[in-house]
Amino acid sequence: MGGRMSKRPRAPLPPPERQNRSRAVSELLPAVGGAAFRRFGFVQSAVVSRWPEIVGERLAAVSSPESIRFPMGKKQDGTLTLTCRGAHAVMMQHVLPEITERVNRFFGYQAVARITIRQGEITRRAPKRVLPELAPAPVELGASLKTIADPELKAVLEALASGVANRPSLPQVK
């Protein structure tokens, strides 16, 4: 007769310690963005946000990086997938070696070994806002700003004064 092992009752595990504290949004956001980019193949989200710097404005206007897939367990010799607008995909085939070189230079190592192109529509990037050049503060305001010791406050007030002085007309409140 084989002996039967009796099951001893286990002691219950202590409940996990709760942390009822408020957390900063900045504490939560990197994990959210990082998880989303990892899910879609981006190890570095900077490739998406800095695409115009990597390939130039002309190529960035007609292409967008979609994902980078690396071989299992590696972080090099990956495949970059680009989305290109319509007929530009054929043109992009001719500059793939240059794009590969630029992306690898951005990473600082041989991150991309090949590039695949998928035709499709890309979303338009918002144009960069160009800030107007500030004119010097008017003479009548310049004398009153000389007594301000804090250089940062002085610069802000001068910028405000020049903006008000250069305005064609005062806004009308109705």
Side-chain angles (χ1 to χ4, degrees), residues 41-73:
F42 275 103
V43 176
Q44 293 208 359
S45 60
V47 173
V48 177
S49 61
R50 296 179 63 191
W51 186 244
E53 292 174 42
I54 295 171
V55 297
E57 290 293 331
R58 223 175 102 224
L59 294 178
V62 296
S63 67
S64 176
E66 189 176 293
S67 67
I68 298 177
R69 302 279 183 206
F70 295 102
M72 188 66 81

Side-chain angles (χ1 to χ4, degrees), residues 108-122:
Y109 66 97
Q110 183 70 29
V112 174
R114 50 174 265 173
I115 298 177
T116 59
I117 294 179
R118 187 179 72 80
Q119 284 186 337
E121 270 310 304
I122 60 168

Side-chain angles (χ1 to χ4, degrees), residues 12 23 32 35 37 43 80 100 116 119 131 139 145 152:
R23 295 170 64 182
V32 171
F37 278 116
V43 176
L80 170 66
T100 304
T116 59
Q119 284 186 337
L131 297 175
V139 176
L145 294 176
E152 191 174 328

Side-chain angles (χ1 to χ4, degrees), residues 72-117:
M72 188 66 81
K74 292 185 176 183
K75 293 294 178 195
Q76 63 183 24
D77 297 329
T79 301
L80 170 66
T81 303
L82 295 178
T83 302
C84 292
R85 188 177 297 142
H88 294 283
V90 176
M91 184 181 73
M92 293 289 282
Q93 289 285 337
H94 296 288
V95 292
L96 286 184
E98 184 179 341
I99 293 173
T100 304
E101 179 186 327
R102 287 181 181 191
V103 171
N104 287 336
R105 192 177 320 135
F106 173 77
F107 277 106
Y109 66 97
Q110 183 70 29
V112 174
R114 50 174 265 173
I115 298 177
T116 59
I117 294 179

Side-chain angles (χ1 to χ4, degrees), residues 144-159:
S144 65
L145 294 176
K146 286 183 181 177
T147 60
I148 297 174
D150 185 9
E152 191 174 328
L153 177 61
K154 185 176 181 179
V156 169
L157 289 174
E158 285 176 347

